[in-house]
Structure formats: structure tokens, C-alpha cells
Amino acid sequence: MGVLIADGGSTKTAWVLVQAGRIVFRADTGGINPYFQSEEEIRRELTVCLLPLLGGAPCPVERVYFYGAGCAFPDKIALLQEVLGCCLGVPAEAGSDLLGAARGLCGREPGIACILGTGSNSCMYNGESIVQSVSPLGFILGDEGSGAFLGKRLVADCLKNRLPPGIKERFLERFGLTPAAILEGVYRLPFPNRFLAGLSVFLGENREVPELRALLLDSFRLFFTRNVQQYAYGEFPAHFTGSVAWHYRELVALAAADCGIRTGRFMQSPLEGLAAFHKG
């Protein structure tokens, strides 16, 4: 018998089937987010997309654990647990993506768990559950160190002519953008956070430019000073997951050291760690 674990997002949900702590089957479906989707939409995604994939799974499922960005409120958690249990016919447990990150990164040991992706988040974790969390506040008021935050700072410096000679032109040419198109993407089009995060890859491609490297380090320091330093960072290491944390892990570690924070694991996805946490 095995357990099914999901890392859910608004655009994609990654599923793994775990047997004796080992991943034996992987599959991806469309996004599942109870904050934005109705019960019927979630049910359709499970029955039309997931169940046929599980037909090729090598062992039966005895329990489901779903971790996702839309599972931060009790009513949404209850809805998702009911739909999962009904569609799959087994007990289901749902929790936030932050809880999934904490369990995947820290296992059953206490520590500080951090997500640096399109957005950012963090918490103090006691080995089973979250005991303290600083609100990320989204990319307008917070999300320091995230892809959206990095993109926001980059385009602001670009449009205010704060980039080194030639870099502004290189940036605009890289994405085929004009200043007017940037403003439209930020203020008029849907999902400006994703738009900005997509532009932030320019920083990684040009991190050897001193001004861009400084922007990256300063943004990561802000993540630590405004979030992680509110936890018991002198006692516990900080662990990281998410695309930004993974691709900039050397700079994240440097910024953490500048803030007196000890770093631990860097994982591109928490699923490997969750497989060990939920030994089937």
C-alpha cells in the first residue's frame, strides 16, 4: 500500500505515490486551488485527469496528503479533503504549501522553513506543525526575495534609468518590451506577480553585473531582516525550497550569512522530503 502526496498550485499540481518512503510513481495534472476553484472544478480535475493516470500506478493508494497555496483557510481545507476523499475513496488530509515546505525541508526536526518562488513565505516549525509565521503580504507590500519582488525592483530601476549603461537596452530587447508594455503588464493585465517574476530571470542571466548582483543580495537580505529574523534564528537553521531559492542558492546563502542566519537544506521541490515524512 502507498500514500499519494500532492504539491498543488494554481497552474500545475505535482503528484507522487510513495511506498515505504520511496517515490514509485509521478504524475502532473492541472492546478488545484480551492481558493479560486469551485468544488465541481476540482472534482472534474481529479476524475478526468488524475484517476486515469493512477490506473497505471504500481500499488494501491491508502491515504492522500495534499499541500497547496489555496489551503490556508479551514473552510477551503475541509472542502478539498471532502472532494479528495470522495473521488479517491480514501482518507485525505490537506494543508498549506508552507506546511508542505516545512515538512519536506525539516522532516520531524524543528527548524525555519522558507519558500522563495514567484512569491515568498516563511515559518517556524516544531517538527510537526507551524508555530509561528510572518505574513508574506504579497508582492506589493512584501514577498521580499521572491521572483515577483525581484522583477518589481528590476523594472523600477529600468524605468527610472538606474541600470548601468547598456543594461536597460539589453533587458528591454531580451523580452521584446517597451516601457509602456511593462506598465500595462503591471497595472492592467491579470497576474502581474507572474509577469514580474518572469522578467526576474534576467537577473540570473546577468548576475555578473555588479549592480544586478547587488540588487539580488539586497533583496535576499530584506527577506531575512523583515521575516526570518523574527524567528529563533540563533537556535535553528533556515531551509529553503522554490525556484528562486534553488537557482540563486549561493547568493541566498551569502545574504543569510550577512544577517547572521545559518542555512540548511536547499530543495527545488519539497516532494522528496515529503515522501520521507509520509512513509507509506
Side-chain angles (χ1 to χ4, degrees):
M1 300 291 283
V3 296
L4 187 64
I5 305 172
D7 181 16
S10 296
T11 57
K12 186 188 82 167
T13 300
W15 303 83
V16 294
L17 188 59
V18 178
Q19 190 175 38
R22 185 172 62 90
I23 295 176
V24 297
F25 181 78
R26 297 176 184 266
D28 291 337
T29 65
I32 295 177
N33 188 325
Y35 191 80
F36 296 111
Q37 293 172 297
S38 68
E39 178 180 345
E40 183 55 37
E41 288 172 322
I42 295 171
R43 190 182 302 275
R44 186 182 310 116
E45 187 67 37
L46 293 171
T47 55
V48 174
C49 299
L50 178 64
L51 290 180
L53 294 174
L54 289 177
C59 65
V61 176
E62 61 180 340
R63 193 173 189 90
V64 181
Y65 297 94
F66 187 101
Y67 298 96
C71 300
F73 303 98
D75 59 329
K76 303 303 181 185
I77 291 174
L79 182 152
L80 189 55
Q81 289 179 164
E82 181 179 353
V83 176
L84 284 166
C86 180
C87 290
L88 296 170
V90 294
E93 177 185 317
S96 68
D97 58 342
L98 186 57
L99 178 61
R103 288 179 171 178
L105 289 166
C106 304
R108 300 192 182 276
E109 298 294 326
I112 299 167
C114 306
I115 299 174
L116 291 174
T118 299
S120 66
N121 209 344
S122 63
C123 71
M124 184 71 223
Y125 171 76
N126 66 3
E128 182 64 32
S129 59
I130 294 170
V131 294
Q132 183 186 1
S133 178
V134 177
S135 176
L137 296 180
F139 77 100
I140 295 176
L141 298 178
D143 270 359
E144 298 87 0
S146 70
F149 184 87
L150 294 173
K152 180 176 71 171
R153 291 198 58 180
L154 174 62
V155 299
D157 282 359
C158 172
L159 298 181
K160 287 182 178 288
N161 299 310
R162 301 289 296 172
L163 295 178
I167 297 298
K168 175 179 179 178
E169 293 73 20
R170 189 193 306 178
F171 169 67
L172 295 174
E173 182 180 354
R174 165 70 171 80
F175 297 99
L177 289 172
T178 63
I182 292 175
L183 293 175
E184 182 179 20
V186 172
Y187 291 109
R188 299 190 63 184
L189 296 180
F191 305 115
N193 57 330
R194 297 181 192 175
F195 170 72
L196 290 168
L199 300 180
S200 74
V201 300
F202 183 82
L203 295 169
E205 295 167 353
N206 298 274
R207 68 182 74 187
E208 76 283 354
V209 177
E211 291 84 353
L212 300 186
R213 179 182 172 88
L215 186 157
L216 286 163
L217 284 169
D218 184 58
S219 298
F220 295 140
R221 290 190 198 102
L222 283 173
F223 172 74
F224 292 118
T225 58
R226 293 175 63 81
N227 300 277
V228 178
Q229 284 187 346
Q230 297 194 50
Y231 311 127
Y233 68 95
E235 301 176 42
F236 301 101
H239 307 286
F240 303 84
T241 189
S243 57
V244 170
W246 180 255
H247 291 296
Y248 296 102
R249 51 193 180 276
E250 293 181 4
L251 293 179
V252 171
L254 282 175
D258 289 344
C259 299
I261 293 166
R262 180 164 46 102
T263 57
R265 302 179 192 90
F266 284 82
M267 301 175 70
Q268 194 166 10
S269 164
L271 281 172
E272 298 289 342
L274 285 169
F277 185 89
H278 296 293
K279 289 182 179 179

